[in-house]
Amino acid sequence: MEKNSPIKICIVDDHRLFLDSLKGLVSSISNFNVIEVFNDGDELVTYLKEGNEAPDIVLLDVKMKRMDGIATCAWVKENYPEIKALALSMEVDEDTVLKMLRAGAKGYLLKDIHPNILEHSINEVHTKGFYYTENITSTLLNSIDGKKSHDGVELKEREIEFLKLACSERTYKEIASEMCLSPRTIDNYREILFQKINCKTRIGLVLYAIKEKIVIL
Amino acid sequence: MEKNSPIKICIVDDHRLFLDSLKGLVSSISNFNVIEVFNDGDELVTYLKEGNEAPDIVLLDVKMKRMDGIATCAWVKENYPEIKALALSMEVDEDTVLKMLRAGAKGYLLKDIHPNILEHSINEVHTKGFYYTENITSTLLNSIDGKKSHDGVELKEREIEFLKLACSERTYKEIASEMCLSPRTIDNYREILFQKINCKTRIGLVLYAIKEKIVIL
DNA sequence: AAATAAAACAGTAAAATACCCCAATTTTTA
DNA sequence: TAAAAATTGGGGTATTTTACTGTTTTATTT
């Protein structure tokens, strides 16, 4: 916990490429020392059981094949309560987040955050004992934040989703239930897209979507 | 393409952390030069449209929020055919793999491969023009064996004429007058084509026509 | 010329689409 | 904190598309 001693870190992730990449990234940050990496939760467990050097912090992938992040986190909390686990996940699933925190995770990060935030959160967890964004969802939404399309037409995520479904023989009613929306809302998406794309029939939507390669046949 | 000049690489992935990690990893490999990274397909498109330095190879995430890998790959193939795209994905989904390859990807890699394989595949794509793992090859073979391009559908001249007009925002009434026919006759053409093509909406006609290149966008 | 096939045309009804009106929430912005 | 914007949802209606039932005309073949 001293200021000068580097923070000892382990990384657990079953995506080999990500694991090695992240190891490089974290290692390159001063004061961070990646002492070991593992492809799966039980490898970490085995490593610790053998009495090897314990890390200060574990970066823990949530979804793993053999022993997942939740189980691993729970085991670490039970057997090495001084080790702080920081969850890394691809997406925000409320239920998973809660389970992970209940299992003792000191934070929950999305894998698409900026490296600076990772650095900051590791430091926060190490010094303060925890780090979590006030609202993971809002952080996610902010990072997603819409930008311009190549022909000046800005399409939102949900609009693209609708557009893709419109390029099928589904009726709007079917699209509505597929998107868990009321047919009226679909009506709005249709009208908004008619306006943005400047067309007046569903055929126009389809032609645009294919032309712009939003859907590939 | 000279032996000594480094391979220029762009990376497109909307998982920021993965993107930056991978950038570090790839950059650290000798002869690889990551000239730019992007969070989304359309950022790459914008970059290229602005006339910036084109890469030799693009590492392309398949699932992205705004402009996904398939769409991006198709655009690159269309506009910068000399750039070779290498798909990166979390999982193998037969349909996705096929679409990606159809869109012009020179290879399809899983994100949990060993970094050495990534290095090897980039080199292969650069020198030989492609790199397929056995996994992908077998997927490809599976799809090929059960495939007949033209399902014996013979369209008459007048039907093709109608089909082309159906791929527009014209109403059937307008198509009728354009073809100098009664709307009722158009009704017949429509029904005959529904039967021949095996679909049940005008959208189906449009999708078929474009797929079979009866109409070119 | 008669038989046959095809192309063109017709009425009706039901479903889907398109186009208006508007409002309750939530989120973002000022 | 209030205003503005975005999201989702609603009612009603006109038009278009789709699904049937057919008949008439035109062209080809025998």
Side-chain angles (χ1 to χ4, degrees):
Chain A
M1 242 355 190
E2 284 173 41
K3 248 183 183 169
N4 303 26
S5 64
I7 300 172
K8 287 174 286 182
I9 296 171
C10 284
I11 308 175
V12 188
D13 196 305
D14 69 346
H15 295 290
R16 185 72 185 258
L17 190 56
F18 181 69
L19 180 60
D20 288 304
S21 300
L22 190 56
K23 177 186 177 180
L25 180 79
V26 175
S27 297
S28 73
I29 300 171
S30 87
N31 205 40
F32 286 2
N33 177 24
V34 178
I35 60 175
E36 197 60 77
V37 298
F38 306 97
N39 277 301
D40 199 281
D42 57 2
E43 289 184 18
L44 171 69
V45 169
T46 302
Y47 170 87
L48 290 173
K49 275 185 177 173
E50 285 171 351
N52 295 298
E53 184 181 33
D56 298 306
I57 287 178
V58 176
L59 299 182
L60 201 52
D61 186 26
V62 174
K63 283 183 190 167
M64 288 184 293
K65 296 183 183 73
R66 278 141 46 79
M67 186 177 185
D68 69 13
I70 295 167
T72 307
C73 196
W75 187 92
V76 168
K77 184 192 180 189
E78 180 71 22
N79 296 277
Y80 291 80
E82 73 281 6
I83 297 176
K84 295 175 181 72
L86 191 45
L88 285 178
S89 174
M90 295 301 287
E91 62 260 308
V92 233
D93 166 38
E94 199 130 86
D95 189 51
T96 308
V97 174
L98 289 175
K99 280 183 182 170
M100 203 67 203
L101 294 180
R102 233 178 275 134
K106 306 302 182 185
Y108 194 103
L109 299 177
L110 290 171
K111 285 187 177 177
D112 59 354
I113 55 166
H114 192 281
N116 289 344
I117 295 183
L118 176 67
E119 178 180 356
H120 179 246
S121 63
I122 290 175
N123 279 319
E124 287 283 290
V125 168
H126 188 242
T127 57
K128 292 188 181 165
F130 66 91
Y131 175 88
Y132 53 86
T133 52
E134 321 231 332
N135 193 341
I136 290 169
T137 308
S138 83
T139 304
L140 178 66
L141 291 178
N142 281 338
S143 77
I144 286 170
D145 191 22
K147 279 188 187 165
K148 290 160 200 63
S149 161
H150 33 290
D151 53 358
V153 178
E154 280 184 42
L155 296 188
K156 302 199 165 51
E157 246 186 272
R158 205 78 168 138
E159 290 170 350
I160 288 172
E161 201 181 332
F162 163 73
L163 188 52
K164 284 179 177 175
L165 288 169
C167 295
S168 72
E169 294 202 289
R170 278 170 258 248
T171 65
Y172 287 138
K173 208 176 293 183
E174 289 168 338
I175 291 173
S177 71
E178 197 134 340
M179 289 179 73
C180 298
L181 292 173
S182 147
R184 298 296 173 180
T185 309
I186 290 302
D187 231 42
N188 280 336
Y189 278 111
R190 179 176 48 70
E191 292 218 45
I192 288 167
L193 285 178
F194 279 2
Q195 216 175 337
K196 284 189 178 182
I197 290 169
N198 188 34
C199 62
K200 55 188 209 298
T201 68
R202 182 164 167 181
I203 304 296
L205 296 183
V206 173
L207 296 177
Y208 174 86
I210 294 170
K211 217 178 300 184
E212 296 297 323
K213 314 276 188 201
I214 291 165
V215 297
I216 302 289
L217 299 185
Chain B
M1 240 356 195
E2 283 173 40
K3 250 181 183 169
N4 305 26
S5 63
I7 299 172
K8 288 175 286 185
I9 298 171
C10 284
I11 309 176
V12 187
D13 196 306
D14 69 345
H15 296 289
R16 186 73 186 255
L17 191 55
F18 180 70
L19 179 61
D20 287 301
S21 300
L22 190 57
K23 177 185 178 180
L25 180 79
V26 174
S27 296
S28 73
I29 299 171
S30 86
N31 205 42
F32 286 1
N33 177 24
V34 178
I35 59 175
E36 197 60 78
V37 299
F38 306 98
N39 276 301
D40 199 281
D42 58 2
E43 290 186 16
L44 171 69
V45 168
T46 302
Y47 170 86
L48 290 173
K49 275 186 176 174
E50 285 170 353
N52 296 299
E53 183 182 34
D56 299 307
I57 288 177
V58 175
L59 299 182
L60 198 53
D61 187 25
V62 175
K63 282 184 190 168
M64 289 184 294
K65 303 200 175 59
R66 287 165 36 73
M67 187 176 187
D68 68 12
I70 294 166
T72 308
C73 195
W75 188 91
V76 168
K77 184 193 179 188
E78 181 71 22
N79 297 279
Y80 292 80
E82 71 281 6
I83 297 176
K84 296 176 181 70
L86 192 45
L88 284 178
S89 174
M90 295 299 290
E91 63 262 309
V92 237
D93 163 42
E94 178 155 322
D95 191 49
T96 308
V97 173
L98 289 176
K99 279 183 180 171
M100 203 66 205
L101 295 180
R102 229 180 277 136
K106 306 301 182 186
Y108 194 104
L109 299 177
L110 290 172
K111 284 187 178 177
D112 60 353
I113 55 167
H114 191 281
N116 289 343
I117 294 182
L118 176 67
E119 177 180 354
H120 179 246
S121 63
I122 291 175
N123 279 320
E124 286 283 290
V125 167
H126 188 244
T127 56
K128 291 188 181 168
F130 65 92
Y131 176 85
Y132 295 152
T133 59
E134 300 193 23
N135 215 336
I136 302 306
T137 307
S138 78
T139 303
L140 197 59
L141 290 176
N142 279 339
S143 79
I144 284 171
D145 100 72
K147 187 194 169 190
K148 313 266 158 69
S149 62
H150 280 279
D151 31 354
V153 177
E154 288 286 326
L155 298 187
K156 300 193 166 56
E157 277 304 307
R158 205 75 170 144
E159 289 169 348
I160 289 172
E161 203 181 331
F162 163 73
L163 189 50
K164 285 180 177 174
L165 289 169
C167 295
S168 73
E169 294 201 292
R170 279 168 258 246
T171 67
Y172 287 137
K173 208 176 292 183
E174 289 168 338
I175 291 173
S177 73
E178 195 132 343
M179 288 178 73
C180 299
L181 291 172
S182 147
R184 306 294 172 180
T185 308
I186 292 301
D187 228 44
N188 277 337
Y189 279 112
R190 181 179 47 72
E191 292 218 46
I192 288 167
L193 285 178
F194 278 4
Q195 218 175 338
K196 283 190 178 182
I197 289 169
N198 189 33
C199 63
K200 55 190 210 297
T201 68
R202 184 166 165 180
I203 304 295
L205 295 183
V206 173
L207 297 177
Y208 175 86
I210 293 169
K211 215 178 302 181
E212 296 296 325
K213 309 225 185 278
I214 290 165
V215 297
I216 308 289
L217 296 185

